Amino acid sequence: MPRRRTSSSSSSTGSTTGTTAPTTAPRNRTPQPVRIRRRSVGDFVKAFFAFVALAVLLVGVPGALATQIGWPLPNGVPSLDWLQQEITVHTFLNILTVVVWLAWAQFTACVLVEMKAALSGVGVPGRVPGAGPSQLLARQLVAALLLVGATAASFAPGLSQLGQSGYDANQKPTVAAAQQTPGFFAQQQEQAADTAAALAEQASHAASHADAGGSTAQQGDTKYYRIQPPEGRHHDSLWEIAERHLGDGRRYKEVFELNKDRVQPDGSKLSEASLIRPGWIMEMPGDARGGELVEMPDEAPHVSPDVQQQIADYAQTGDHAQGGGSGAQGGGHEQTGGGPSASQVSLPEQRPASDSGHQRATAVDAESGSSFGLSEALLTAPLLAAGLLGALGRRRRQALWQSAFGAVGGRRGMEPPTPSGDAQDVQDALLVGADPEGVRLLDRSLRGLAASLAEESRPLPVVYAAWLSNGDLHLQLAQPAGKPPAPWQQGQDQTFWMLAGTDAERYEDVDTAAPYPGLVSLGTMDDSRLLLNLEAVPGIVSLSGREADRAAVFASVAAELATNGWSDRMTITLVGFGQDLTPLAPNRIRHLEDVEALVETMEAETRQRRGALGAAGHDSVLTGRTGPAQHTRWAPHLVLLAAQPSAEDAVKLAELAADAGRLGIGYLVGTETGDLPGAAWEMEITGQGKLLAPLLGLELDAQLLPAAQQRAVVELFVDADPENRPEGGPANRPPFLVDISEQGRPAVYARLVGPYEIIGLDNPDGDRSALLHEALALLLLHREGVHPRVLSSALWPRGVTDDVRNALLDRLRDWLGADPDGTPRLGRDATGRLTLAKSVVSDLDVLRSLYHEATQGKGVDSRAVRGRLLTDALVLVRGPLLADRPEGRYRWLTHEIVDAQLPLLVADTGLALCEFHMEKNRAEKAIEALNAALRTAPADERLWHELLRATHATGDTSRLTALATDLIARSGARGLPPRTEALLDELLPTWRDAIAAVG
């Protein structure tokens, strides 16, 4: 039977015994071995003054009360006449004496509780009700008194929260607990030094015993480790325990599995790898090495009897107590279950996945294991993909309107260029990976929270991070902020606010400033997505790793910040990288060449923001984002510096970042060494795509935008700008032209402009008819080809399996049939994308072809042909696109620009036909053409202008006045556009008086 051994080493013990090959671990603020020192004169002086203070408070106070004042309460039961007696100075003295006696009794109870916890070594003292400050004082005095005693090592866990602001923080630490997060805030150094002294004593015993007998540990031994108290800003964590004693921090999950749900000495259980407490016992895998290894439980000279008993009792729990063995043996690195391994970070409590709150990454994984050549980086980044896709759609729509209204060279570039190569693959990846619904819910939830707090006259709490987990939103607060407004709920502790996915659906759009625009995705962990609030971190966030890996993280962060849907205005300054990213958001992104320019810029802005906050009476930008203020100057400014600054520049940045959290300024700085002054968070990106911050318990699958995908994304945005297209180039030519002659009659004709109809095919099976019609509509709107994953993502946004998708494609192929030569009408191109045969056309294809032929083909040289083609085109228009589409379907149209293309195409057709008729002074025919176009494009100002001119040409003033009245009614409170008013002034100078007289 293997012997039991225990490791009681200090959490700062970095050396290991019994192993020969050191392993490489992610660099962070890993504690170094504690330097062993003897107790100094200062320790004895502190102990003496602590003894004097305790003697005065415990003995002197009651002695003085008894001798000088006596017992203040009456000896018998007072009569009712006592209540009517005059209140004198003596009465006040008696009341004050009772208060002092009660305070003394409470303090005495605190001292007894702390003494018991310190001497027993449990490390989790009980809490005296209502005695927060008194218990902290008692704890400090007891610690100082016993620090020089022989039992200092055994009671060290009781010092874990010296100088902290709240005792409850011991019980449920989180990333948002400012007083517990390493690197977030400077802790009280004097009290930390006291703790370090106690740990040094422990380290001395550990080192001596490791030299004498640590190497005798054998494979298969059962060993135990006792969770150590914090030392300064360092807290013990399962990651570091595994790193020191197992050689690899990633093996923390083995330790977690061995100890999960086992009763600890304080009666609680280990349920999450991130939630561990000083004084707990951890059983270790058999190959654990290093630290203090002693025979257990009866041969442990350096461990108190109470601790020996605790370990002996703990050894009787767990699977091995029933013959199941000791858990993981040997050097295996299998990782199962559990979460991050730092006591300062915890994932939100998991909830069952809800139907309304799906995660896009899950939908991607539910499809094929192969990405079909698409970028996995974008497929698994739903918020980034949604932001890029939305911004790209807005850019393309803007280009359409600019082109239609002649803002760009008078061109009519109705068709944006069709992407190809890498750009096409990236666009498909965006379509598959995007989760616009998730972005919408996140935006509404955050703005709704801000509006609710403003109604209650409550400030916005400082939020360090947000977790999206199974559709639920968890906010990690810097400190408890009271009860959240409904429908938000208290999370797993007071620093978590949680909104269920079903409750988020209740929010509607509200007119309030975005409260947390600096949130940006870093990656995923255990099916939860982490968003860090960059502007709230009180200091710099540093990122180390290889240059190419860092660049992929920086590009992802910059792209999401520039295009996300949960922010308003912001400034993103890129230094040393990302000059080509400017086209993503020219109004948000700016580029600086070097750190010198950055420091100069940020010094000025920091001064300006401090002055503006002071002048406005706000303590931070958050108070300026609620209530009547909501000034645009409170928009965040986020700085992304990819290259490591020099030592001098790093110090300057650290000084600027010291107050950045309340000013709404965030810094993400790259570093080669991982050592950066002023860094609040130190993270590392590995070559395997892991984002690590061991002391914060973060081991994320990082969200990346690699260089190749970055170039392709930028290409999409650059091509969407009409300024970058060659004049008269292929952008003006439709991607698919049909034969409009009688010989070109199609085999299958779909009417999409208006109610959806299909001619040439029998109706499919009723249960699957809607799905097949939707799939065909998507293919008809993309004659260039549709990636199979784009099709399945559009039809099943929550995810679908391969067999279901393939079954649909088989049914669609059978329904469309084949051409007379036997060629299937549903095929694939060289890239594997689904394409339709030329014999399958839509009325939109015909409409585009007729307009193109009339304005750039045969109609250019023949007036009669032009008039006939334009008239035929306008006859095809029966209403908006897919006018009768079922509720809940065709949501993929939100990604398309066809809803902007069709009205412009119809308006251009109507304008061209109007011009055709006005050349022969046929005003009534022109009016008829314009009214037909207005039924599909009622908001096109050009049509109304030509309608006014054509009506004026009839010479009927009353008719023109009626049209002007109708225009005013349609304009509503906004009134007529300036150009329309100017045109009316020209055509009908008395229109205002005429309209007033009519109505």
Side-chain angles (χ1 to χ4, degrees):
M1 179 177 179
R3 295 176 299 175
R4 293 194 183 98
R5 299 178 183 270
T6 184
S7 172
S8 265
S9 63
S10 166
S11 62
S12 299
T13 304
S15 61
T16 61
T17 58
T19 57
T20 58
T23 59
T24 302
R27 189 203 177 281
N28 208 309
R29 294 186 177 179
T30 304
Q32 300 299 316
V34 178
R35 292 177 299 175
I36 301 173
R37 68 176 182 88
R38 297 183 179 277
R39 291 186 286 276
S40 64
V41 175
D43 294 334
F44 287 98
V45 171
K46 289 180 183 179
F48 173 74
F49 281 113
F51 173 78
V52 172
L54 285 173
V56 169
L57 292 173
L58 295 179
V59 180
V61 170
L65 291 174
T67 57
Q68 300 299 321
I69 299 178
W71 184 249
L73 298 179
N75 296 324
V77 178
S79 64
L80 293 178
D81 296 338
W82 178 79
L83 297 176
Q84 300 176 357
Q85 292 180 1
E86 181 181 0
I87 298 178
T88 63
V89 175
H90 181 70
T91 305
F92 277 110
L93 287 177
N94 284 342
I95 294 174
L96 182 61
T97 304
V98 171
V99 172
V100 174
W101 274 110
L102 293 175
W104 172 83
Q106 184 188 59
F107 179 76
T108 303
C110 293
V111 172
L112 294 176
V113 168
E114 293 298 326
M115 274 287 200
K116 179 180 182 300
L119 295 174
S120 65
V122 172
V124 186
R127 181 179 181 182
V128 179
S134 297
Q135 190 160 5
L136 284 176
L137 175 61
R139 189 177 309 165
Q140 294 178 15
L141 293 174
V142 170
L145 177 63
L146 299 184
L147 185 60
V148 297
T151 60
S154 67
F155 75 84
L159 305 178
S160 61
Q161 296 300 317
L162 282 182
Q164 307 300 345
S165 60
Y167 180 79
D168 287 342
N170 275 342
Q171 309 302 322
K172 297 181 180 179
T174 67
V175 68
Q179 65 269 28
Q180 294 187 21
T181 306
F184 267 52
F185 296 100
Q187 308 234 337
Q188 300 178 7
Q189 298 300 319
E190 181 178 356
Q191 294 165 344
D194 292 341
T195 305
L199 295 175
E201 187 74 16
Q202 222 172 358
S204 175
H205 294 302
S208 61
H209 187 79
D211 293 339
S215 61
T216 63
Q218 300 178 5
Q219 185 78 8
D221 287 352
T222 302
K223 309 174 185 69
Y224 295 88
Y225 179 85
R226 189 161 175 271
I227 303 299
Q228 299 302 311
E231 179 197 351
R233 288 164 43 154
H234 163 247
H235 294 244
D236 213 348
S237 69
L238 292 188
W239 178 288
E240 291 193 338
I241 294 169
E243 189 175 65
R244 288 195 305 271
H245 299 290
L246 299 176
D248 187 352
R250 293 179 177 85
R251 294 185 62 189
Y252 73 87
K253 293 185 178 180
E254 298 179 35
V255 182
F256 173 76
E257 289 299 324
L258 281 173
N259 299 277
K260 182 180 180 182
D261 296 330
R262 294 170 65 176
V263 178
Q264 293 291 335
D266 62 354
S268 56
K269 296 181 180 180
L270 174 66
S271 59
E272 295 185 32
S274 59
L275 298 178
I276 60 176
R277 302 177 185 174
W280 277 9
I281 307 299
M282 293 290 117
E283 181 180 340
M284 300 293 290
D287 61 332
R289 294 293 183 270
E292 182 177 343
L293 298 176
V294 296
E295 297 296 327
M296 283 302 299
D298 51 350
E299 298 180 17
H302 300 297
V303 180
S304 67
D306 287 342
V307 175
Q308 294 180 31
Q309 186 60 47
Q310 290 171 12
I311 297 177
D313 294 341
Y314 188 76
Q316 303 305 315
T317 66
D319 293 338
H320 72 283
Q322 285 76 35
S326 62
Q329 300 289 338
H333 290 248
E334 180 181 359
Q335 298 181 7
T336 58
S341 56
S343 62
Q344 298 78 34
V345 177
S346 62
L347 278 168
E349 293 179 345
Q350 301 297 308
R351 294 166 53 93
S354 59
D355 293 336
S356 61
H358 70 282
Q359 286 211 356
R360 193 70 185 186
T362 304
V364 171
D365 295 338
E367 294 186 15
S368 174
S370 169
S371 63
F372 289 98
L374 301 185
S375 168
E376 289 290 350
L378 292 172
L379 290 177
T380 56
L383 304 184
L384 170 61
L388 289 171
L389 199 59
L392 182 61
R394 290 190 295 272
R395 183 68 52 83
R396 287 173 172 172
R397 288 181 175 87
Q398 181 183 15
L400 282 175
W401 285 102
Q402 287 178 340
S403 179
F405 283 92
V408 184
R411 295 196 297 270
R412 295 291 188 268
M414 298 304 302
E415 304 297 334
T418 301
S420 60
D422 290 342
Q424 186 178 21
D425 289 339
V426 161
Q427 178 172 278
D428 288 341
L430 293 177
L431 289 168
V432 175
D435 184 12
E437 183 66 13
V439 171
R440 184 184 68 86
L441 289 178
L442 176 61
D443 181 46
R444 286 186 173 184
S445 300
L446 295 176
R447 293 181 194 267
L449 173 64
S452 299
L453 290 172
E455 290 177 359
E456 299 177 6
S457 299
R458 296 171 60 186
L460 284 168
V462 177
V463 170
Y464 282 148
W467 291 94
L468 289 173
S469 180
N470 296 323
D472 299 339
L473 174 60
H474 304 255
L475 298 182
Q476 291 193 354
L477 314 182
Q479 56 189 4
K483 182 179 179 181
W488 290 78
Q489 307 170 28
Q490 198 81 53
Q492 61 200 57
D493 62 31
Q494 294 182 356
T495 57
F496 269 91
W497 283 3
M498 189 273 289
L499 181 67
T502 52
D503 293 332
E505 298 281 354
R506 295 160 48 185
Y507 274 118
E508 298 180 355
D509 293 329
V510 292
D511 184 17
T512 189
Y516 305 112
L519 286 169
V520 64
S521 304
L522 292 184
T524 57
M525 178 167 60
D526 294 342
D527 295 328
S528 295
R529 183 169 303 277
L530 171 65
L531 288 84
L532 173 66
N533 191 5
L534 269 181
E535 68 166 336
V537 177
I540 294 173
V541 179
S542 70
L543 178 68
S544 61
R546 296 186 310 178
E547 183 177 0
D549 299 325
R550 295 202 316 264
V553 175
F554 273 93
S556 171
V557 170
E560 185 170 299
L561 288 173
T563 61
N564 72 56
W566 55 86
S567 64
D568 300 324
R569 296 183 57 199
M570 73 166 59
T571 300
I572 307 166
T573 298
L574 309 182
V575 187
F577 84 106
Q579 189 170 7
D580 56 338
L581 291 175
T582 305
L584 270 60
N587 295 329
R588 286 191 178 186
I589 297 179
R590 67 177 179 181
H591 181 267
L592 297 178
E593 292 296 333
D594 52 38
V595 183
E596 182 179 355
L598 172 66
V599 171
E600 181 180 354
T601 300
M602 298 313 298
E603 284 179 343
E605 178 156 354
T606 299
R607 287 194 301 269
Q608 187 272 334
R609 289 204 173 209
R610 282 176 179 156
L613 280 176
H618 298 309
D619 57 351
S620 76
V621 295
L622 289 180
T623 57
R625 289 184 187 154
T626 53
Q630 301 188 19
H631 301 300
T632 55
R633 62 186 173 203
W634 310 131
H637 186 168
L638 305 176
V639 176
L640 308 182
L641 173 58
Q644 178 167 342
S646 65
E648 181 180 355
D649 290 333
V651 172
K652 293 180 180 179
L653 288 175
E655 293 174 352
L656 289 172
D659 196 27
R662 74 181 190 93
L663 301 178
I665 302 175
Y667 294 86
L668 177 62
V669 180
T671 173
E672 298 174 359
T673 63
D675 187 12
L676 194 69
W681 269 19
E682 289 185 348
M683 298 185 295
E684 178 188 3
I685 179 65
T686 70
Q688 293 73 40
K690 294 289 186 180
L691 190 65
L692 306 177
L695 291 185
L696 298 176
L698 293 180
E699 183 184 355
L700 303 173
D701 293 320
Q703 180 171 294
L704 307 171
L705 186 59
Q709 284 74 44
Q710 177 184 334
R711 288 191 297 269
V713 166
V714 173
E715 181 182 342
L716 289 174
F717 279 80
V718 171
D719 288 346
D721 188 350
E723 292 286 358
N724 297 310
R725 303 182 196 168
E727 181 71 28
N732 293 325
R733 181 183 178 88
F736 178 71
L737 292 173
V738 300
D739 185 357
I740 57 177
S741 67
E742 187 65 27
Q743 291 76 22
R745 185 179 296 275
V748 178
Y749 182 65
R751 305 178 73 184
L752 304 179
V753 185
Y756 192 2
E757 298 178 17
I758 297 179
I759 302 171
L761 293 177
D762 296 331
N763 286 330
D765 180 17
D767 294 337
R768 299 187 176 95
S769 175
L771 199 61
L772 291 173
H773 278 71
E774 186 174 357
L776 179 57
L778 178 61
L779 292 168
L780 286 167
L781 293 176
H782 291 276
R783 301 306 303 235
E784 73 277 8
V786 177
H787 197 287
R789 296 195 69 173
V790 173
L791 178 67
S792 59
S793 176
L795 299 181
W796 296 282
R798 299 180 186 276
V800 66
T801 55
D802 290 343
D803 56 342
V804 174
R805 179 186 58 227
N806 294 335
L808 171 75
L809 294 179
D810 291 340
R811 282 192 292 270
L812 183 60
R813 188 176 294 107
D814 294 340
W815 181 41
L816 293 175
D819 287 333
D821 61 358
T823 303
R825 292 174 183 148
L826 177 62
R828 292 178 182 262
D829 62 10
T831 65
R833 288 173 170 81
L834 302 168
T835 58
L836 292 174
K838 293 183 178 181
S839 58
V840 182
V841 301
S842 70
D843 53 356
L844 184 57
D845 296 328
V846 178
L847 176 60
R848 286 167 169 161
S849 300
L850 288 170
Y851 178 77
H852 179 267
E853 193 68 22
T855 56
Q856 301 183 45
K858 297 178 181 179
V860 174
D861 300 323
S862 173
R863 170 180 167 79
V865 171
R866 182 168 74 254
R868 178 175 56 81
L869 292 174
L870 290 173
T871 302
D872 290 345
L874 210 53
V875 168
L876 293 174
V877 180
R878 301 174 298 124
L881 186 74
L882 298 167
D884 59 349
R885 56 180 178 264
E887 181 72 23
R889 289 198 174 273
Y890 298 87
R891 291 185 178 179
W892 47 269
L893 280 173
T894 58
H895 301 317
E896 308 283 344
I897 63 168
V898 66
D899 59 338
Q901 287 176 301
L902 178 59
L904 289 177
L905 177 59
V906 172
D908 276 5
T909 303
L911 291 170
L913 188 56
C914 170
E915 181 183 2
F916 172 82
H917 288 305
M918 291 302 293
E919 289 175 357
K920 296 297 185 179
N921 295 320
R922 296 197 290 261
E924 292 296 340
K925 288 287 187 181
I927 292 173
E928 182 181 347
L930 292 169
N931 282 327
L934 280 168
R935 285 193 287 270
T936 299
D940 197 308
E941 189 179 358
R942 300 172 302 159
L943 291 175
W944 290 105
H945 289 174
E946 293 306 316
L947 186 59
L948 287 171
R949 294 188 178 99
T951 304
H952 177 263
T954 64
D956 189 342
T957 305
S958 61
R959 187 174 178 184
L960 183 59
T961 302
L963 178 58
T965 304
D966 185 32
L967 269 175
I968 292 174
R970 290 173 179 269
S971 300
R974 294 176 301 175
L976 291 175
R979 289 183 296 185
T980 304
E981 282 192 359
L983 179 60
L984 276 174
D985 288 337
E986 174 66 23
L987 300 178
L988 188 63
T990 60
W991 65 276
R992 292 180 176 86
D993 296 335
I995 291 174
V998 171

